[in-house]
Amino acid sequence: MINDSSSGKFIFVTVLVPTTFGLSLMVARSSNYMISWGLVVLSLITLMMSLTLMFRFFLNLKSYKKNHKKGFRLFSWLVVPLLGILFLGANAEAAYGKSSPVPQISFLLDNGLERTFAKSAPKLAWCQSKFIRNP
Amino acid sequence: MRNPIYNILINFLLPNKGTIQEEIVNIKTKRLVVIVPTYRPTSITVKLVKNLVDFNRDLHLSVLVVDDSSPVSYQTIFDQILKINKSKVTVIHTPTNSLKAGAINFGLSYLEKNRLATDVIFTVDDDIVIKQPTIRLMLFKLFESRRIGAVCSLAKVLNKNVNLLTRLQGLEYNFFNVIRVADNNFIQGPLVMHGMISAFRYKAIKQVGGFRQNHIIEDYEITARLKNIGWYVALSPQAEAFTVVPETISHLWKQRVRWSFGGIQVVLSKNKLTSIIQDVIGHLLFISTVILLGLSFLFTPTPDNFETQKLVVIVSLTSFISSFVFFIYTLNFYREKDWVDMLIRLSFVMELIYSQILTFILLGSYLFYAYTKLRNRLSTKTAKKLGFIDHLFGNLGYSQSWGTR
């Protein structure tokens, strides 16, 4: 038998990431300032863990080198630009505002997600009033 | 000497040099014993023993099959096993059923009693299939450095094409392998030397006193103890072994409940932090996130908090997208994949549902662990009143009396 699913490495890569992603989207609309920062820090640690794992994987890849050279190139072409766009988009908006020269993440968030949340907001408010006690 | 915390932090990005090739060892001079603990063996067990002997004729390898008190009707299979090669294969029988760890320990004490000189012990499950070079590739890795005490193979799924569940497990096992590659030379090596097939230096296994019986997941437990006394462990990235995975939800559920609860037990037992660090990080991140999400419903929302909330979403999205792209990339290492596997991975939904089921199992394990600790502190009378909770956990597969056959 192998029992890695009990281990943290599995949790943060395949369970925590989607969970954080899905739930933080939900919480982001109704949370406290401190909680939001807590989530930012946790998501950042998760991201760093995932990225360092990927990095170590590629460092150790020489043991696979003969069979998988093409794969490495494909990954570089896919991931580097993708991460670049995401980070630049987020940072450029802060620096340049609406006149940012790179694609803006916030544009997507402001338009797509906000509209989705606007629809679900009354339901969420109703759930909160029914089931959750605010101090 | 550098600060150990500094070393660990550096290790997240750079592999340590603890297991770099030190010397060339002639593996043909090493005396090897493969212990095959078995209960109700099948034709796969016979084939496994045959392959072990046939594939390694030029090595000093003998196979010790430990029958863990199988019913008498299985004697014909043991006869078939003995016929393979009487000089290289031995069958012994435990007096009572003692589960996998007990059976391996029985084999170890047999070697000691008979003063059979041994350099390396292989422990294997009785339902696996190996490839021709598996054993020697693992040996090369084991003798790469004097600090390596144990080595495991890649874990692959034999029956992955049976249904959706087995395909999901095939993809999952492939990712386990990827993580093990990443963890080679990370602090003291991968988290678990899996029980499918692992090679141990005889000296190392004796130092830790063999496997611990009555533990739910003995392979993780022994790996942690080896690391506690300074041994490194490693994956042999070209050695392959195939196993049969559960084909129904109920079997998978039981198996994963055992793994996740056993994992928590190992993390909370007295191990060095460096022996279980990957697990500790994962559990802490998971628990912190769950707590924060819970707290967010209790505190009053702060008005005009949109910028911070947006940051949460951006970081989570980046984390999710980078992991997902990496998931897709790891298909490169899944040689057995077909278009259905690729479709499952690309569509993402199936794996998301699968991982959420595992999340529920993990949450259940936390609750069960807390409950058992609380129950042990209660008086017998009060504990009896909580019988219905035992019953509830029992129905969900949580129990303290499992072990690997």
Side-chain angles (χ1 to χ4, degrees), chain B residues 73-84:
Chain B
S73 55
Y74 286 84
Q75 188 53 45
T76 48
I77 295 185
F78 290 113
D79 292 340
Q80 284 177 41
I81 289 172
L82 274 172
K83 271 182 199 166
I84 293 168

Side-chain angles (χ1 to χ4, degrees), chain B residues 309-365:
Chain B
Q309 291 159 353
K310 208 160 64 180
L311 205 57
V312 178
V313 177
I314 288 171
V315 179
S316 298
L317 261 178
T318 313
S319 189
F320 171 74
I321 292 170
S322 59
S323 294
F324 187 55
V325 173
F326 186 63
F327 275 11
I328 294 169
Y329 168 69
T330 57
L331 283 175
N332 279 317
F333 302 91
Y334 194 19
R335 239 185 302 169
E336 298 76 25
K337 69 177 179 290
D338 54 24
W339 65 272
V340 183
D341 296 312
M342 288 198 265
L343 207 64
I344 291 172
R345 171 114 325 160
L346 287 170
S347 68
F348 178 68
V349 181
M350 292 300 164
E351 286 193 276
L352 181 68
I353 295 168
Y354 181 75
S355 68
Q356 296 309 320
I357 292 171
L358 299 180
T359 307
F360 281 120
I361 291 175
L362 182 66
L363 287 171
S365 297

Side-chain angles (χ1 to χ4, degrees), chain B residues 88-145:
Chain B
K88 288 199 165 190
V89 180
T90 312
V91 177
I92 57 174
H93 306 271
T94 58
T96 53
N97 185 282
S98 49
L99 303 179
K100 186 181 170 185
I104 295 173
N105 284 345
F106 189 75
L108 289 171
S109 55
Y110 172 85
L111 295 175
E112 206 167 348
K113 267 181 205 163
N114 292 281
R115 295 182 181 175
L116 297 172
T118 312
D119 295 309
V120 180
I121 296 283
F122 283 85
T123 59
V124 302
D125 279 351
D126 65 349
D127 59 350
I128 65 158
V129 172
I130 58 162
K131 290 203 161 183
Q132 187 146 17
T134 304
I135 294 286
R136 59 194 65 228
L137 285 169
M138 290 174 73
L139 284 172
F140 285 134
K141 189 72 192 173
L142 187 66
F143 289 109
E144 206 174 79
S145 161

Side-chain angles (χ1 to χ4, degrees), chain A residues 1-3 5, chain B residues 169 172-173 216-217 244-246 249-261 354 361:
Chain A
M1 69 169 219
I2 71 165
N3 55 40
S5 77
Chain B
Q169 288 174 85
E172 185 192 13
Y173 276 46
I216 298 174
I217 47 170
V244 178
V245 295
I249 286 274
S250 62
H251 283 133
L252 178 77
W253 182 279
K254 277 179 194 162
Q255 183 195 50
R256 296 310 167 92
V257 161
R258 199 178 74 232
W259 290 2
S260 79
F261 186 69
Y354 181 75
I361 291 175

Side-chain angles (χ1 to χ4, degrees), chain B residues 135-166:
Chain B
I135 294 286
R136 59 194 65 228
L137 285 169
M138 290 174 73
L139 284 172
F140 285 134
K141 189 72 192 173
L142 187 66
F143 289 109
E144 206 174 79
S145 161
R146 289 187 196 92
R147 297 169 84 172
I148 299 181
V151 163
C152 69
S153 71
L154 294 174
K156 301 204 164 197
V157 174
L158 193 61
N159 56 337
K160 77 136 179 119
N161 288 339
V162 173
N163 57 34
L164 178 64
L165 199 61
T166 53

Side-chain angles (χ1 to χ4, degrees), chain B residues 199-222:
Chain B
F200 298 88
R201 282 182 199 259
Y202 186 65
K203 192 169 68 174
I205 215 168
K206 289 302 289 175
Q207 275 177 359
V208 293
F211 282 76
R212 185 161 292 164
Q213 286 168 243
N214 305 320
H215 198 282
I216 298 174
I217 47 170
E218 67 290 326
D219 46 4
Y220 183 14
E221 199 272 338
I222 198 170

